[in-house]
Amino acid sequence: MSELDGPTPPGADVSLPETPRLLAELWYDTPPDLEDPRLLAALRELAPQTQMQDGSLTVPHADVRLESDSQPVPLLTVVLTGSPLNHTTKTLPDTSQTWDWPGAGAALQGCTGSVLVSELLAERFTPDQRVSGLMSVLGVLIGQTSPRAIFWLNSQRVTDPTKFDLSSLDGVLNVRFFDVGRGDSGADGSALVMDTLGLDLFELPDLQCHFRDYDPGQVAAMLYSTAVYVFTEGDVVHDGHTISGARGDERFVCRHERSLLPPARTVLDVDLGEPYAAGRPARG
């Protein structure tokens, strides 16, 4: 794919956590008291060794452990109160790349603070273990504290807590959409870029497609389903392999490339071929 010309599309300047940790932020009209004994009791039903310390909760998942020379190391989830709104650079989450919940912005209006849910020292665990651990804690918090919205910092997506699903990757993954203009090709119609955000955290390639004159909804569905496959199976779609399109017997070639849009990362680029591909690299 060719480099895109012109300014970075709105919403593409993504600031991700410096530490590669899976993070979710629950937003509230008034943040809950994490020292509420009812919350502690509910979390201890999930993980009996849950502890309150210095205003935060540590949840050790005793059934998910790494063996070490000294003693088994459990997967850890931590829960802490977020910085107050308007404290230094703290603002409400950006909803510009949340496409499946039109009410996300309205749900956040009036929110004054948040609770952060994060993994701790989890890099050696599998992606599925990491996501399952965090999701299980989120499920308890949502049931006990009724947040207005969930902001997924790694994927820059806002989701509706009333539709939270423990078994889904919604939120962990996001499909972004950008109109990047005609570029230098002179072709009719705007060129579009869609990509996923969320897999790079697990050292897996996100998906990307640079195209025109093809239904964006079908591209989004293809990218998301392929991203779920990569999350589950690993980086097994090799350069030159194909994936199925939405229209009958379509097959689209994939190759690993550097991302067109920030954050800089390796992506699995999906080439829709003629006449839909909006840009291609020189293939040696």
Side-chain angles (χ1 to χ4, degrees), residues 231-270:
F231 177 88
T232 303
E233 302 296 330
D235 187 9
V236 296
V237 183
H238 301 300
D239 291 350
H241 285 189
T242 61
I243 61 174
S244 299
R247 303 176 185 176
D249 59 354
E250 289 174 317
R251 303 292 296 179
F252 299 134
V253 176
C254 301
R255 290 181 176 86
H256 291 78
E257 298 179 4
R258 296 303 292 168
S259 60
L260 289 169
L261 299 173
R265 65 208 190 281
T266 298
V267 296
L268 191 63
D269 184 84
V270 181

Side-chain angles (χ1 to χ4, degrees), residues 126-137:
T126 68
D128 184 65
Q129 288 172 328
R130 294 168 65 177
V131 170
S132 296
L134 192 90
M135 290 293 220
S136 65
V137 174

Side-chain angles (χ1 to χ4, degrees), residues 53-69:
Q53 186 176 12
D54 298 329
S56 64
L57 292 157
T58 301
V59 184
H61 302 274
D63 57 336
V64 184
R65 301 182 299 179
L66 290 175
E67 298 299 327
S68 68
D69 294 337

Side-chain angles (χ1 to χ4, degrees), residues 105-165:
L108 285 163
Q109 292 303 312
C111 288
T112 63
S114 64
V115 166
L116 283 168
V117 185
S118 173
E119 60 186 10
L120 184 63
L121 303 175
E123 291 83 358
R124 292 173 58 197
F125 292 89
T126 68
D128 184 65
Q129 288 172 328
R130 294 168 65 177
V131 170
S132 296
L134 192 90
M135 290 293 220
S136 65
V137 174
L138 280 175
V140 173
L141 287 167
I142 291 168
Q144 292 290 315
T145 64
S146 301
R148 294 286 302 275
I150 311 169
F151 177 47
W152 301 84
L153 282 77
N154 307 96
S155 70
Q156 300 294 293
R157 182 176 173 185
V158 179
T159 59
D160 183 350
T162 67
K163 297 182 179 179
F164 178 76
D165 182 352

Side-chain angles (χ1 to χ4, degrees), residues 171-195:
V172 176
L173 300 177
N174 190 18
V175 178
R176 305 188 301 170
F177 174 78
F178 302 99
D179 184 333
V180 295
R182 293 172 61 183
D184 295 331
S185 68
D188 294 334
S190 289
L192 308 173
V193 172
M194 300 188 81
D195 68 3

